[in-house]
Amino acid sequence: MANLRQINNELKTYINEATFISNKCRNKLLKYLGETFNVELPLENFAKIDAEITEEGNIIMRGDEYKTSSPVKTEEELEEKYNVFKEKAEILLKKKEVNYYTKNNINNTLNIFIVIALSIIYVIVLIFAIREVLSLNLFTASILFAILSSSLIPNIKARFEQAKNFLKRKFKK
């Protein structure tokens, strides 16, 4: 059956897409498959899961065949059940789809706000340090300058560099 081969290839594509999103998404997709074909599938967290539909509507997963409680009698019935599953799968995958471009932009924008907040804090601490030097509280001033010159805030230089590169990319477009 060439049509069954095409259905199984599409099923593998859906499982791979769902696995790319997350194991939870993949397990939800397999749950939909089991519900559609009336098969009790175990939802395990294996790194790789492959599923295949047989002519009777049974599902072979990880080498084990899981029997359906309502066997498929015709090829049209098999296609009809698969189309119901296909609609559910496409809705699930579109809803869970991760857009890395916008996620990266959100992270970079958040980084810019962090850099601005850190810059304001640095300026405030610098003002306090200069005031302490002028009022001859040298011990307090030395502590404030130590805070300014140390790497108490990890990767601050990398954050500034990342924000600068993001802004360059945005204004270049």
Side-chain angles (χ1 to χ4, degrees), residues 28-41 59 68 70 81 84-85 88:
K28 199 172 214 176
L29 186 83
L30 291 173
K31 182 180 169 196
Y32 288 162
L33 180 67
E35 289 172 355
T36 305
F37 285 92
N38 298 319
V39 176
E40 196 65 37
L41 292 175
I59 297 175
T68 180
S70 59
K81 282 188 174 187
V84 169
F85 163 74
K88 288 181 183 179

PDB file of all heavy atoms in Angstrom, residues 28-41 59 68 70 81 84-85 88:
ATOM      1  N   LYS A  28       2.441  14.403  23.744  1.00  0.00           N
ATOM      2  CA  LYS A  28       1.060  14.839  23.488  1.00  0.00           C
ATOM      3  C   LYS A  28       0.624  14.400  22.089  1.00  0.00           C
ATOM      4  O   LYS A  28      -0.510  13.955  21.898  1.00  0.00           O
ATOM      5  CB  LYS A  28       0.972  16.349  23.628  1.00  0.00           C
ATOM      6  CG  LYS A  28      -0.408  16.869  23.832  1.00  0.00           C
ATOM      7  CD  LYS A  28      -0.367  18.347  24.162  1.00  0.00           C
ATOM      8  CE  LYS A  28      -1.490  18.657  25.111  1.00  0.00           C
ATOM      9  NZ  LYS A  28      -1.487  20.035  25.554  1.00  0.00           N
ATOM     10  N   LEU A  29       1.535  14.507  21.135  1.00  0.00           N
ATOM     11  CA  LEU A  29       1.241  14.082  19.766  1.00  0.00           C
ATOM     12  C   LEU A  29       0.963  12.576  19.726  1.00  0.00           C
ATOM     13  O   LEU A  29       0.011  12.127  19.079  1.00  0.00           O
ATOM     14  CB  LEU A  29       2.414  14.432  18.845  1.00  0.00           C
ATOM     15  CG  LEU A  29       2.193  14.168  17.371  1.00  0.00           C
ATOM     16  CD1 LEU A  29       1.442  15.340  16.760  1.00  0.00           C
ATOM     17  CD2 LEU A  29       3.505  13.982  16.668  1.00  0.00           C
ATOM     18  N   LEU A  30       1.782  11.785  20.439  1.00  0.00           N
ATOM     19  CA  LEU A  30       1.572  10.337  20.484  1.00  0.00           C
ATOM     20  C   LEU A  30       0.260  10.000  21.194  1.00  0.00           C
ATOM     21  O   LEU A  30      -0.418   9.033  20.837  1.00  0.00           O
ATOM     22  CB  LEU A  30       2.751   9.644  21.166  1.00  0.00           C
ATOM     23  CG  LEU A  30       4.053   9.665  20.364  1.00  0.00           C
ATOM     24  CD1 LEU A  30       5.197   9.121  21.194  1.00  0.00           C
ATOM     25  CD2 LEU A  30       3.916   8.892  19.071  1.00  0.00           C
ATOM     26  N   LYS A  31      -0.102  10.802  22.180  1.00  0.00           N
ATOM     27  CA  LYS A  31      -1.381  10.605  22.876  1.00  0.00           C
ATOM     28  C   LYS A  31      -2.533  10.827  21.901  1.00  0.00           C
ATOM     29  O   LYS A  31      -3.494  10.047  21.875  1.00  0.00           O
ATOM     30  CB  LYS A  31      -1.471  11.571  24.050  1.00  0.00           C
ATOM     31  CG  LYS A  31      -2.721  11.437  24.865  1.00  0.00           C
ATOM     32  CD  LYS A  31      -2.725  12.443  25.997  1.00  0.00           C
ATOM     33  CE  LYS A  31      -4.091  12.499  26.652  1.00  0.00           C
ATOM     34  NZ  LYS A  31      -4.259  13.675  27.475  1.00  0.00           N
ATOM     35  N   TYR A  32      -2.434  11.876  21.087  1.00  0.00           N
ATOM     36  CA  TYR A  32      -3.455  12.117  20.060  1.00  0.00           C
ATOM     37  C   TYR A  32      -3.535  10.951  19.087  1.00  0.00           C
ATOM     38  O   TYR A  32      -4.617  10.548  18.679  1.00  0.00           O
ATOM     39  CB  TYR A  32      -3.158  13.397  19.272  1.00  0.00           C
ATOM     40  CG  TYR A  32      -3.381  14.689  20.015  1.00  0.00           C
ATOM     41  CD1 TYR A  32      -2.806  15.868  19.559  1.00  0.00           C
ATOM     42  CD2 TYR A  32      -4.166  14.765  21.153  1.00  0.00           C
ATOM     43  CE1 TYR A  32      -3.002  17.069  20.219  1.00  0.00           C
ATOM     44  CE2 TYR A  32      -4.364  15.958  21.815  1.00  0.00           C
ATOM     45  CZ  TYR A  32      -3.782  17.103  21.339  1.00  0.00           C
ATOM     46  OH  TYR A  32      -3.973  18.291  21.990  1.00  0.00           O
ATOM     47  N   LEU A  33      -2.385  10.413  18.702  1.00  0.00           N
ATOM     48  CA  LEU A  33      -2.352   9.278  17.774  1.00  0.00           C
ATOM     49  C   LEU A  33      -3.054   8.083  18.387  1.00  0.00           C
ATOM     50  O   LEU A  33      -3.869   7.428  17.730  1.00  0.00           O
ATOM     51  CB  LEU A  33      -0.898   8.933  17.423  1.00  0.00           C
ATOM     52  CG  LEU A  33      -0.685   7.776  16.457  1.00  0.00           C
ATOM     53  CD1 LEU A  33      -1.206   8.143  15.069  1.00  0.00           C
ATOM     54  CD2 LEU A  33       0.788   7.413  16.374  1.00  0.00           C
ATOM     55  N   GLY A  34      -2.752   7.800  19.649  1.00  0.00           N
ATOM     56  CA  GLY A  34      -3.388   6.674  20.330  1.00  0.00           C
ATOM     57  C   GLY A  34      -4.890   6.859  20.463  1.00  0.00           C
ATOM     58  O   GLY A  34      -5.665   5.917  20.263  1.00  0.00           O
ATOM     59  N   GLU A  35      -5.317   8.088  20.800  1.00  0.00           N
ATOM     60  CA  GLU A  35      -6.753   8.359  20.930  1.00  0.00           C
ATOM     61  C   GLU A  35      -7.469   8.203  19.599  1.00  0.00           C
ATOM     62  O   GLU A  35      -8.569   7.654  19.536  1.00  0.00           O
ATOM     63  CB  GLU A  35      -6.977   9.777  21.466  1.00  0.00           C
ATOM     64  CG  GLU A  35      -6.611   9.967  22.909  1.00  0.00           C
ATOM     65  CD  GLU A  35      -6.674  11.429  23.344  1.00  0.00           C
ATOM     66  OE1 GLU A  35      -6.916  12.320  22.487  1.00  0.00           O
ATOM     67  OE2 GLU A  35      -6.458  11.674  24.545  1.00  0.00           O
ATOM     68  N   THR A  36      -6.847   8.676  18.529  1.00  0.00           N
ATOM     69  CA  THR A  36      -7.478   8.626  17.214  1.00  0.00           C
ATOM     70  C   THR A  36      -7.658   7.191  16.732  1.00  0.00           C
ATOM     71  O   THR A  36      -8.698   6.841  16.176  1.00  0.00           O
ATOM     72  CB  THR A  36      -6.648   9.416  16.185  1.00  0.00           C
ATOM     73  OG1 THR A  36      -6.463  10.739  16.669  1.00  0.00           O
ATOM     74  CG2 THR A  36      -7.341   9.470  14.846  1.00  0.00           C
ATOM     75  N   PHE A  37      -6.662   6.357  16.960  1.00  0.00           N
ATOM     76  CA  PHE A  37      -6.717   4.978  16.485  1.00  0.00           C
ATOM     77  C   PHE A  37      -7.155   3.996  17.571  1.00  0.00           C
ATOM     78  O   PHE A  37      -7.070   2.787  17.380  1.00  0.00           O
ATOM     79  CB  PHE A  37      -5.357   4.572  15.901  1.00  0.00           C
ATOM     80  CG  PHE A  37      -5.107   5.162  14.552  1.00  0.00           C
ATOM     81  CD1 PHE A  37      -4.456   6.374  14.423  1.00  0.00           C
ATOM     82  CD2 PHE A  37      -5.545   4.526  13.401  1.00  0.00           C
ATOM     83  CE1 PHE A  37      -4.234   6.934  13.185  1.00  0.00           C
ATOM     84  CE2 PHE A  37      -5.328   5.076  12.155  1.00  0.00           C
ATOM     85  CZ  PHE A  37      -4.674   6.292  12.040  1.00  0.00           C
ATOM     86  N   ASN A  38      -7.632   4.505  18.718  1.00  0.00           N
ATOM     87  CA  ASN A  38      -8.100   3.677  19.838  1.00  0.00           C
ATOM     88  C   ASN A  38      -7.055   2.658  20.283  1.00  0.00           C
ATOM     89  O   ASN A  38      -7.324   1.464  20.412  1.00  0.00           O
ATOM     90  CB  ASN A  38      -9.411   2.968  19.482  1.00  0.00           C
ATOM     91  CG  ASN A  38     -10.528   3.940  19.196  1.00  0.00           C
ATOM     92  OD1 ASN A  38     -10.674   4.938  19.886  1.00  0.00           O
ATOM     93  ND2 ASN A  38     -11.298   3.671  18.153  1.00  0.00           N
ATOM     94  N   VAL A  39      -5.847   3.155  20.510  1.00  0.00           N
ATOM     95  CA  VAL A  39      -4.731   2.315  20.938  1.00  0.00           C
ATOM     96  C   VAL A  39      -4.179   2.895  22.233  1.00  0.00           C
ATOM     97  O   VAL A  39      -4.020   4.111  22.352  1.00  0.00           O
ATOM     98  CB  VAL A  39      -3.617   2.274  19.859  1.00  0.00           C
ATOM     99  CG1 VAL A  39      -2.419   1.484  20.340  1.00  0.00           C
ATOM    100  CG2 VAL A  39      -4.153   1.699  18.570  1.00  0.00           C
ATOM    101  N   GLU A  40      -3.888   2.041  23.188  1.00  0.00           N
ATOM    102  CA  GLU A  40      -3.301   2.470  24.466  1.00  0.00           C
ATOM    103  C   GLU A  40      -1.781   2.473  24.301  1.00  0.00           C
ATOM    104  O   GLU A  40      -1.136   1.423  24.342  1.00  0.00           O
ATOM    105  CB  GLU A  40      -3.730   1.508  25.579  1.00  0.00           C
ATOM    106  CG  GLU A  40      -3.523   2.024  26.965  1.00  0.00           C
ATOM    107  CD  GLU A  40      -4.385   3.235  27.295  1.00  0.00           C
ATOM    108  OE1 GLU A  40      -5.541   3.310  26.853  1.00  0.00           O
ATOM    109  OE2 GLU A  40      -3.861   4.112  28.006  1.00  0.00           O
ATOM    110  N   LEU A  41      -1.209   3.659  24.088  1.00  0.00           N
ATOM    111  CA  LEU A  41       0.238   3.785  23.889  1.00  0.00           C
ATOM    112  C   LEU A  41       0.915   4.222  25.187  1.00  0.00           C
ATOM    113  O   LEU A  41       0.430   5.124  25.865  1.00  0.00           O
ATOM    114  CB  LEU A  41       0.545   4.830  22.806  1.00  0.00           C
ATOM    115  CG  LEU A  41       0.159   4.488  21.385  1.00  0.00           C
ATOM    116  CD1 LEU A  41       0.428   5.688  20.477  1.00  0.00           C
ATOM    117  CD2 LEU A  41       0.941   3.295  20.894  1.00  0.00           C
ATOM    118  N   ILE A  59      -0.644   0.186  15.983  1.00  0.00           N
ATOM    119  CA  ILE A  59       0.514   1.087  15.955  1.00  0.00           C
ATOM    120  C   ILE A  59       1.736   0.336  16.445  1.00  0.00           C
ATOM    121  O   ILE A  59       1.708  -0.297  17.505  1.00  0.00           O
ATOM    122  CB  ILE A  59       0.261   2.333  16.817  1.00  0.00           C
ATOM    123  CG1 ILE A  59      -0.920   3.123  16.238  1.00  0.00           C
ATOM    124  CG2 ILE A  59       1.501   3.208  16.892  1.00  0.00           C
ATOM    125  CD1 ILE A  59      -1.356   4.304  17.059  1.00  0.00           C
ATOM    126  N   THR A  68      -5.319  -2.118  18.305  1.00  0.00           N
ATOM    127  CA  THR A  68      -6.425  -1.182  18.403  1.00  0.00           C
ATOM    128  C   THR A  68      -7.664  -1.896  18.937  1.00  0.00           C
ATOM    129  O   THR A  68      -7.838  -3.102  18.704  1.00  0.00           O
ATOM    130  CB  THR A  68      -6.724  -0.535  17.036  1.00  0.00           C
ATOM    131  OG1 THR A  68      -7.804   0.377  17.190  1.00  0.00           O
ATOM    132  CG2 THR A  68      -7.073  -1.553  15.981  1.00  0.00           C
ATOM    133  N   SER A  70     -10.639  -1.009  18.005  1.00  0.00           N
ATOM    134  CA  SER A  70     -11.581  -1.024  16.878  1.00  0.00           C
ATOM    135  C   SER A  70     -10.788  -1.092  15.579  1.00  0.00           C
ATOM    136  O   SER A  70     -10.380  -0.071  15.036  1.00  0.00           O
ATOM    137  CB  SER A  70     -12.470   0.223  16.909  1.00  0.00           C
ATOM    138  OG  SER A  70     -11.683   1.389  16.836  1.00  0.00           O
ATOM    139  N   LYS A  81      -9.286   8.316   9.675  1.00  0.00           N
ATOM    140  CA  LYS A  81      -8.746   8.426  11.034  1.00  0.00           C
ATOM    141  C   LYS A  81      -7.426   9.194  11.028  1.00  0.00           C
ATOM    142  O   LYS A  81      -7.167  10.013  11.899  1.00  0.00           O
ATOM    143  CB  LYS A  81      -8.534   7.031  11.645  1.00  0.00           C
ATOM    144  CG  LYS A  81      -9.788   6.389  12.149  1.00  0.00           C
ATOM    145  CD  LYS A  81      -9.464   5.108  12.896  1.00  0.00           C
ATOM    146  CE  LYS A  81     -10.708   4.539  13.528  1.00  0.00           C
ATOM    147  NZ  LYS A  81     -10.405   3.382  14.389  1.00  0.00           N
ATOM    148  N   VAL A  84      -8.005  12.897  10.756  1.00  0.00           N
ATOM    149  CA  VAL A  84      -8.427  13.477  12.042  1.00  0.00           C
ATOM    150  C   VAL A  84      -7.194  13.725  12.902  1.00  0.00           C
ATOM    151  O   VAL A  84      -7.033  14.793  13.512  1.00  0.00           O
ATOM    152  CB  VAL A  84      -9.427  12.534  12.758  1.00  0.00           C
ATOM    153  CG1 VAL A  84      -9.664  12.979  14.197  1.00  0.00           C
ATOM    154  CG2 VAL A  84     -10.739  12.471  11.996  1.00  0.00           C
ATOM    155  N   PHE A  85      -6.295  12.733  12.957  1.00  0.00           N
ATOM    156  CA  PHE A  85      -5.050  12.892  13.717  1.00  0.00           C
ATOM    157  C   PHE A  85      -4.203  14.027  13.141  1.00  0.00           C
ATOM    158  O   PHE A  85      -3.643  14.832  13.880  1.00  0.00           O
ATOM    159  CB  PHE A  85      -4.239  11.591  13.700  1.00  0.00           C
ATOM    160  CG  PHE A  85      -2.814  11.787  14.083  1.00  0.00           C
ATOM    161  CD1 PHE A  85      -2.454  12.015  15.405  1.00  0.00           C
ATOM    162  CD2 PHE A  85      -1.818  11.778  13.119  1.00  0.00           C
ATOM    163  CE1 PHE A  85      -1.134  12.227  15.759  1.00  0.00           C
ATOM    164  CE2 PHE A  85      -0.498  11.987  13.459  1.00  0.00           C
ATOM    165  CZ  PHE A  85      -0.153  12.212  14.785  1.00  0.00           C
ATOM    166  N   LYS A  88      -5.347  17.444  14.277  1.00  0.00           N
ATOM    167  CA  LYS A  88      -4.953  17.690  15.675  1.00  0.00           C
ATOM    168  C   LYS A  88      -3.457  17.981  15.764  1.00  0.00           C
ATOM    169  O   LYS A  88      -3.029  18.867  16.500  1.00  0.00           O
ATOM    170  CB  LYS A  88      -5.285  16.479  16.548  1.00  0.00           C
ATOM    171  CG  LYS A  88      -6.738  16.270  16.816  1.00  0.00           C
ATOM    172  CD  LYS A  88      -6.912  15.042  17.715  1.00  0.00           C
ATOM    173  CE  LYS A  88      -8.345  14.721  17.978  1.00  0.00           C
ATOM    174  NZ  LYS A  88      -8.487  13.520  18.831  1.00  0.00           N
TER     175      LYS A  88
END
